[in-house]
Structures are given as C-alpha cells and as structure tokens.
Amino acid sequence: MQEEYIPDLISLSDDEGNEYTFEVLSTMEDNGSRYAALTPCDENGEPLPDDDGTLVILKEVEDNGEFYYEEIEDDNEYNMIADAFIAELQDLYDVDAD
C-alpha cells in the first residue's frame, strides 16, 4: 500500500511582515549549525504558478531560546552548504546547479 505524501510546510515572514509558505525539502547539520533547503509553495504545498524551481537555503539561528531562519551571509559557507544540498537532492528532483 502506497503512503500519501504529506509535505513538511513552514511559514516565514520577511522584514516587512509579509508571510510566505515553503516546503522543507531537506535539512542538514554541519559544524554545529543547522540548515534547511526550501522551495516556495502555496498553503497546501502546491508549487506556485510562477515558480521557477528556486531552491532557498537558510540557516537556523537561536536567539533567547527562539529559533528562526536567516540568510547565509558568508559566501563560502553558503556555497559549501548549497553544494551539499544539490548533491543530495539532484537524484530526487530536477536540480540545475546554477
């Protein structure tokens, strides 16, 4: 019997308070930091009509016991994590490394 796929969805807000929904495709830890590979979607987990397949990679940060995601500022850190996610996800999804 085949199990029904239920996407792992999270809602994130930008600095202006706009909310966006993402499907968590994968997470990983490296050197004590945790990262997530996300793709934008609607509140039901369906791809957005104008989605170009963008992969969003964010770092989980803790502040006073609260966890949130932020952009990875360091280019070397971002490239290392992006390469690891691409290697992991390219067999499951049609990944363009650019």
Side-chain angles (χ1 to χ4, degrees):
M1 183 171 196
Q2 187 176 1
E3 290 185 35
E4 180 182 348
Y5 174 73
I6 301 173
D8 182 9
L9 303 179
I10 62 171
S11 180
L12 300 175
S13 300
D14 64 15
D15 292 336
E16 287 85 41
N18 300 312
E19 281 201 31
Y20 302 93
T21 303
F22 295 90
E23 179 180 359
V24 179
L25 300 179
S26 183
T27 60
M28 71 172 56
E29 290 189 34
D30 185 68
N31 291 326
S33 296
R34 187 169 167 86
Y35 304 89
L38 315 170
T39 188
C41 62
D42 68 15
E43 60 277 348
N44 297 314
E46 296 296 322
L48 299 175
D50 59 349
D51 180 31
D52 61 0
T54 300
L55 184 65
V56 177
I57 299 173
L58 300 174
K59 183 176 185 175
E60 186 178 271
V61 178
E62 180 184 2
D63 185 25
N64 294 324
E66 301 228 5
F67 291 91
Y68 61 93
Y69 287 106
E70 69 179 16
E71 293 182 39
I72 302 170
E73 298 294 329
D74 181 271
D75 288 340
N76 290 330
E77 178 184 12
Y78 179 85
N79 290 332
M80 181 185 70
I81 297 302
D83 289 346
F85 273 125
I86 289 169
E88 176 186 335
L89 296 171
Q90 69 184 356
D91 292 336
L92 302 172
Y93 301 96
D94 184 22
V95 175
D96 179 5
D98 295 329

